[in-house]
């Protein structure tokens, strides 16, 4: 890199002053030098002219002296040269060149020297020699030589130079003063700009602006500088914003990455957990399905034995029935959990009497409780509030019963002595209705109590005893409770017992009971006498079952259609059919289409759908097609007869 030159290191102020001074000095010197030389030249010309004139005059004066050969006179005339201070030597020569008379200025010329010596000496080498002829008319009488000293010119020149130097010194001083004053006009705005630039450099504050004071080039520079600052400020603002955004994005990204990592870890743990659960679920499911199937198949083989006693037959059938019910419950649980997961559970809210519902639930529970284990050491207790008031809930009774029976059945499963107490009561403000199911069973350890609501989770110690179940019941109960706007909670102590609470918003409290309980009654078959019943069923053993149940009344008449078309034809050809039991899934024409056709011809003919489709949407579809009621397979004999009796 080139080293900065000397003037590059100077400040602008110093540069301006130096330039002004240099210009002043150079122009003064040049000017005065020219003037000096022209002066010298003029002096020389003047000296020449004067000396020539003097020589001419002297030549004129010398004419008589030559004519009359008056040497002393000639000398006197030459002496007059004393009045000419510049003439240092004068001489008159004859035509033959001999000296006629001479004059030597005193003190100027060393008298010891002869004229030729003098002329050759250094002191007078600049002397001016003027020679003029002495003429009388046209005759040359001789000549005059005048030597003028140029010393006077030198003296004058020296004086001149001194004056020039004084003037030069003065003009330097004046121009220095002027430069100092004038440079501010130029350097001040530039220095101001430099100060502002330095300030911006230190503070990085681009909002600073320089105030324009003149409209010359510095004014333009200021405008340009301000414009530049403005655009820098704008782009800095943009950059700051972008940086801020970038920073925020980075932070957000970090947070998001952390969250995602957490989520991924959680998902991984969940996946591992569900993998474990899946394996245990499959093992469990296999067990839960095979156990009742084993009983059903095993006992169905045993009942074929001709030597079997009536007591044994009753016992085996009972076991087959219980196992079949277990299987149904298992399938219901699996279907329910699938519907819950798919958000397809339909809740049908209606106002119900809590007392009626509690009695129905307790009666169902007690029935299964004693039939499952007649020699039980556990006492089921129903405790209703002592007050007369009737509590009304706005709920889905079917789902509420399912939840309560689930928790009661758990209590039955995990309690071996003591009691299972089912009670309900309202809170003091009568805003909430609480069901409580308290048992004196094995209890649940505190750290396990959260887990029991997870799908497929069983927490009971299986080392001592294997408890049947899929780990789905409480998961379904929790979801259904939430769908019914309720809350489920638990208090439990290991080896002491558990108490589940279900809390629902209480709709109203009535003073008397307006709701008529709907209790299943075991109907006799008398109502079937002389009736013609059309059974629409494609599977033979399903038809056979219905035939056996209904033929207990020997006066009943049955018709069998194996598909929808046959059913429609039979209905058209037999006007005395009293009721139709219609399977939904049929070959050729399905049960819904057949029902629609039958109803379009005879809308008063009761049709009861008998279907394995248990979803509420299926039920609704059947009702929409014109079915008067629905019985879900597997058919409960009691339910079938009650429903048929209702329509015949
Ligand atoms: P399942 O009863 O089919 O195993 P649940 O979801 O109904 O599934 O119950 C989950 C687990 O909670 C049960 O396996 C059992 O370990 C525990 N549990 C539920 N109710 C009780 C109870 N009353 N006493 C003791 N343990 C219970």
């Amino acid at each position: 890199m080139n080293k900065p030159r000397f003037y590059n290191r100077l400040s602008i102020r110093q540069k301006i002053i130096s330039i002004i001074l240099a210009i002043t000095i150079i122009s003064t010197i040049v000017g005065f030098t020219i003037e000096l030389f022209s002066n010298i030249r003029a002096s020389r010309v003047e000296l020449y002219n004067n000396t020539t004139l003097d020589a001419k005059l002297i030549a004129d004066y010398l004419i008589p002296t030559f004519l009359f050969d008056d040497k002393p006179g000639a000398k006197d005339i030459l002496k007059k040269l004393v009045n000419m201070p510049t003439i240092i030597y004068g001489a008159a020569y004859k035509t033959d060149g001999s000296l006629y008379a001479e004059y030597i200025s005193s003190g100027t010329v060393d008298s010891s020297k002869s004229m030729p010596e003098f002329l050759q000496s250094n002191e007078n080498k600049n002397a001016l020699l003027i020679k003029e002829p002495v003429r009388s008319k046209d005759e040359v009488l001789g000549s005059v030589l005048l030597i003028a000293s140029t010393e006077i010119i030198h003296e004058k020149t020296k004086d001149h130079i001194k004056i020039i130097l004084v003037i030069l010194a003065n003009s330097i001083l004046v121009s220095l003063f002027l430069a100092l004053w004038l440079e501010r006009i130029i350097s001040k705005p530039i220095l101001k700009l430099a100060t502002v630039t330095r300030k911006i450099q230190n503070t990085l504050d681009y909002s600073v602006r320089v105030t324009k004071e003149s409209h010359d080039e510095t004014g333009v520079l200021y405008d340009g500088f301000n414009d530049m600052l403005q655009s820098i400020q704008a782009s800095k603002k943009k950059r700051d914003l972008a940086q801020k955004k970038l920073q925020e994005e980075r932070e957000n990204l970090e947070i998001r990455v952390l969250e995602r990592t957490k989520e991924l870890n959680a998902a991984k743990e969940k996946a591992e957990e569900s993998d474990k659960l899946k394996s245990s679920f499959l093992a469990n499911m296999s067990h839960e399905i095979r156990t009742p199937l084993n009983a059903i198949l095993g006992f169905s083989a045993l009942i074929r034995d001709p030597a079997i006693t009536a007591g044994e037959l009753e016992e085996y059938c009972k076991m087959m029935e219980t196992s079949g019910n277990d299987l149904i419950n298992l399938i219901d649980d699996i279907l329910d959990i699938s519907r819950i997961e798919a958000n397809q559970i339909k809740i049908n809210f209606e106002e119900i009497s809590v007392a009626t519902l509690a009695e129905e639930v307790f009666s169902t529970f007690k029935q299964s409780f004693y039939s499952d284990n007649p020699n039980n050491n556990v006492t089921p207790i129903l405790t209703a509030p002592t007050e007369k008031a009737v509590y009304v809930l706005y709920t889905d009774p079917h789902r509420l019963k399912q939840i309560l029976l689930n928790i009661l059945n758990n209590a039955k499963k995990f309690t071996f002595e003591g009691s299972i107490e089912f009670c309900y009561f309202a809170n003091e403000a009568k805003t909430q209705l609480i069901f409580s199911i308290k048992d004196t069973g094995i209890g649940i350890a505190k750290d396990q109590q959260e887990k029991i609501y997870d799908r497929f989770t069983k927490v009971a110690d299986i080392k001592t005893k294997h408890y049947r179940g899929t780990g789905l019941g409480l998961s379904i109960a929790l979801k259904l409770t939430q769908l019914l706007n309720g809350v489920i909670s638990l208090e439990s102590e290991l080896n002491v017992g558990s108490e589940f609470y279900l809390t629902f918003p209480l709709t109203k409290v009535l003073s008397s009971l307006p709701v008529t309980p709907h209790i299943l009654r075991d109907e006799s078959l008398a109502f079937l006498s002389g009736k013609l019943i059309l059974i629409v069923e494609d599977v033979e053993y399903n038809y056979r079952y219905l035939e056996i149940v209904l033929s207990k009344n020997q006066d009943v008449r049955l018709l069998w259609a194996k598909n929808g078309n046959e059913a429609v034809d039979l209905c058209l050809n037999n006007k005395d059919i009293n009721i139709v039991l219609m399977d939904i899934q049929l070959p050729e024409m399905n049960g819904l289409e057949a029902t629609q056709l039958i109803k379009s011809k005879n809308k008063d003919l009761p049709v009861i759908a008998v279907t394995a489709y248990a979803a509420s949407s299926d039920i609704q579809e059947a009702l929409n097609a014109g079915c008067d009621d629905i019985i879900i397979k597997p058919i409960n004999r009691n339910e079938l007869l009650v429903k048929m009796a209702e329509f015949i």
Side-chain angles (χ1 to χ4, degrees):
M1 204 171 71
N2 285 344
K3 272 193 179 174
R5 294 189 182 197
F6 164 71
Y7 57 79
N8 283 348
R9 272 184 264 132
L10 294 179
S11 71
I12 196 155
R13 216 172 147 225
Q14 289 167 326
K15 275 181 191 153
I16 292 170
I17 293 170
S18 325
I19 289 166
I20 292 175
L21 284 182
I23 291 168
T24 310
I25 292 167
I26 292 166
S27 55
T28 311
I29 289 174
V30 169
F32 278 113
T33 310
I34 292 167
E35 202 248 1
L36 187 67
F37 279 103
S38 62
N39 258 351
I40 291 170
R41 199 168 161 272
S43 297
R44 289 185 81 92
V45 169
E46 191 187 353
L47 186 66
Y48 175 83
N49 288 342
N50 287 344
T51 310
T52 310
L53 195 64
D54 286 347
K56 280 183 176 163
L57 278 173
I58 294 294
D60 283 350
Y61 287 141
L62 284 173
I63 295 169
T65 62
F66 271 91
L67 285 174
F68 300 107
D69 197 20
D70 182 7
K71 274 190 182 176
K75 207 167 182 178
D76 284 346
I77 288 169
L78 286 177
K79 269 188 190 160
K80 298 283 181 218
L81 288 172
V82 76
N83 297 317
M84 316 286 173
T86 54
I87 309 291
I88 55 169
Y89 182 76
Y93 299 95
K94 284 189 174 172
T95 47
D96 58 2
S98 61
L99 185 66
Y100 183 61
E102 79 174 346
Y103 161 78
I104 299 170
S105 169
S106 61
T108 316
V109 180
D110 187 352
S111 51
S112 62
K113 289 177 187 166
S114 70
M115 198 55 218
E117 283 172 340
F118 168 74
L119 285 174
Q120 280 167 11
S121 77
N122 272 344
E123 310 167 43
N124 282 293
K125 71 174 187 228
N126 291 327
L128 179 67
L129 273 78
I130 302 290
K131 209 173 177 183
E132 279 294 323
V134 180
R135 243 185 254 267
S136 171
K137 299 198 180 139
D138 285 334
E139 188 191 354
V140 177
L141 302 173
S143 65
V144 171
L145 173 71
L146 288 188
I147 299 174
S149 167
T150 56
E151 196 58 35
I152 190 159
I153 296 173
H154 293 146
E155 285 307 316
K156 260 184 166 178
T157 307
K158 272 185 201 164
D159 289 348
H160 209 131
I161 288 172
K162 275 181 197 159
I163 292 167
I164 287 173
L165 287 175
V166 171
I167 292 173
L168 184 66
N170 282 334
S171 57
I172 287 172
L173 274 177
V174 170
S175 57
L176 181 65
F177 173 74
L178 278 175
L180 284 172
W181 181 61
L182 287 173
E183 66 72 33
R184 284 197 202 156
I185 298 173
I186 297 166
S187 68
K188 199 178 148 203
I190 296 171
L191 291 175
K192 192 175 162 190
L193 207 60
T195 314
V196 173
T197 311
R198 228 168 289 132
K199 191 179 163 195
I200 293 170
Q201 258 177 358
N202 293 337
T203 58
L204 294 178
D205 176 8
Y206 294 96
S207 62
V208 178
R209 295 285 179 275
V210 277
T211 323
K212 187 171 156 184
E213 281 162 10
S214 64
H215 295 281
D216 55 7
E217 286 83 348
T218 50
V220 175
L221 187 67
Y222 275 30
D223 284 343
F225 187 72
N226 283 341
D227 287 350
M228 190 183 73
L229 283 178
Q230 197 169 350
S231 55
I232 291 176
Q233 192 184 8
S235 42
K236 185 176 175 274
K237 208 172 167 185
K238 262 190 202 167
R239 196 197 59 194
D240 288 352
L241 260 174
Q243 260 177 354
K244 202 176 157 200
K245 248 188 165 175
L246 202 73
Q247 178 69 18
E248 280 173 8
E249 279 296 307
R250 216 174 45 209
E251 282 166 12
N252 277 348
L253 198 71
E254 277 170 18
I255 294 171
R256 276 220 301 272
V257 168
L258 278 177
E259 280 172 359
R260 266 294 147 85
T261 316
K262 249 193 215 165
E263 280 170 18
L264 281 176
N265 282 338
K268 186 176 154 251
E269 277 167 24
K270 218 173 167 185
E272 284 168 1
E273 178 77 3
S274 69
D275 198 44
K276 255 195 255 164
L277 278 176
K278 202 173 76 188
S279 311
S280 76
F281 165 73
L282 287 175
N284 217 6
M285 216 36 97
S286 168
H287 178 266
E288 291 305 313
I289 293 170
R290 281 168 191 280
T291 307
L293 269 181
N294 184 51
I296 293 166
L297 295 175
F299 286 118
S300 55
L302 284 180
I303 56 176
R304 284 205 198 98
D305 184 351
I308 193 167
T309 65
E312 280 170 337
L313 184 67
E314 171 63 25
E315 190 193 340
Y316 297 166
C317 287
K318 183 84 214 149
M319 292 209 195
M320 282 164 67
E321 195 184 334
T322 309
S323 299
N325 283 335
D326 282 354
L327 262 181
I328 283 289
N329 289 339
L330 178 68
I331 289 162
D332 281 347
D333 274 0
I334 293 169
L335 290 177
D336 273 347
I337 201 82
S338 318
R339 282 188 202 116
I340 286 169
E341 305 262 291
N343 253 339
Q344 280 181 354
I345 278 265
K346 239 188 127 200
I347 303 293
N348 299 311
F349 281 97
E350 61 181 271
E351 282 191 354
I352 55 117
S353 152
V354 177
T356 313
L357 181 124
E359 274 159 25
E360 277 180 29
V361 167
F362 189 67
S363 126
T364 311
F365 172 65
K366 228 164 68 174
Q367 227 175 343
S368 77
F369 184 80
Y370 286 120
S371 69
D372 283 358
N373 193 356
N375 312 315
N376 221 314
N377 289 331
V378 184
T379 320
I381 305 163
L382 170 68
T383 312
T386 44
E387 54 190 310
K388 280 248 160 54
V390 175
Y391 298 129
V392 177
L393 278 186
Y394 186 66
T395 190
D396 182 329
H398 168 66
R399 293 298 177 188
L400 184 52
K401 274 183 207 167
Q402 183 182 349
I403 300 167
L404 291 168
L405 279 172
N406 200 306
I407 297 174
L408 280 165
N409 285 331
N410 271 351
K412 178 176 80 181
K413 191 158 57 174
F414 298 107
T415 308
F416 305 103
E417 55 184 22
S419 62
I420 295 170
E421 195 179 342
F422 175 42
C423 76
Y424 61 94
F425 53 92
N427 67 344
E428 225 171 293
K430 304 281 185 254
T431 52
Q432 290 179 329
L433 193 282
I434 300 134
F435 292 98
S436 139
I437 294 147
K438 185 177 180 182
D439 65 53
T440 53
I442 61 169
I444 304 164
K446 291 269 177 274
D447 59 334
Q448 306 285 350
Q449 289 179 10
E450 287 266 298
K451 288 190 200 165
I452 57 169
Y453 302 103
D454 292 346
R455 287 172 302 149
F456 309 123
T457 305
K458 298 164 82 175
V459 300
D461 182 10
I462 52 163
K463 280 180 213 140
T464 45
K465 179 173 168 35
H466 180 85
Y467 299 97
R468 294 199 46 206
T470 52
L472 285 176
L474 282 179
S475 168
I476 296 169
L478 173 73
K479 290 277 158 58
L480 290 179
T481 308
Q482 287 165 348
L483 288 171
L484 297 181
N485 306 319
V487 175
I488 193 163
S489 61
L490 164 72
E491 279 174 17
S492 182
E493 204 176 316
L494 204 58
N495 303 322
V496 175
S498 309
E499 183 164 14
F500 283 87
Y501 296 98
L502 292 167
T503 309
F504 295 97
L506 189 55
T507 313
K508 46 190 170 186
V509 182
L510 304 173
S511 48
S512 62
L513 184 69
V515 190
T516 38
H518 177 76
I519 300 169
L520 275 179
R521 286 169 292 115
D522 197 347
E523 287 285 333
S524 77
L525 296 169
F527 72 94
L528 292 173
S529 295
K531 301 290 186 268
L532 180 59
I533 298 167
L534 170 61
I535 299 171
V536 190
E537 176 60 72
D538 59 326
V539 180
E540 189 178 349
Y541 55 78
N542 282 345
Y543 169 75
R544 291 289 305 147
Y545 172 74
L546 288 172
E547 188 186 31
I548 292 165
V549 170
L550 300 176
S551 301
K552 296 279 178 205
N553 182 319
Q554 296 187 350
D555 291 337
V556 78
R557 291 174 297 143
L558 299 176
L559 288 172
W560 182 17
K562 290 179 185 143
N563 60 50
N565 286 329
E566 280 183 24
V568 176
D569 288 347
L570 282 170
C571 281
L572 289 177
N573 298 330
N574 298 280
K575 300 280 179 214
D576 53 344
I577 292 176
N578 298 97
I579 193 163
V580 181
L581 297 178
M582 176 74 78
D583 184 22
I584 297 296
Q585 179 137 43
L586 291 168
E588 294 176 36
M589 180 191 285
N590 72 32
L592 296 179
E593 288 171 83
T595 306
Q596 272 167 342
L597 282 174
I598 292 166
K599 281 283 181 179
S600 69
K601 307 279 179 221
N602 182 1
K603 69 177 176 20
D604 296 327
L605 177 61
V607 179
I608 296 180
V610 182
T611 176
Y613 297 119
S616 51
S617 56
D618 300 323
I619 294 169
Q620 198 53 51
E621 220 180 335
L623 293 175
N624 291 345
C627 297
D628 297 278
D629 209 336
I630 284 131
I631 293 172
I632 309 286
K633 288 179 185 174
I635 301 162
N636 178 301
R637 178 180 166 276
N638 203 25
E639 188 190 354
L640 173 74
L641 295 177
V642 168
K643 287 201 168 166
M644 286 180 77
E646 210 172 293
F647 290 102
I648 289 180

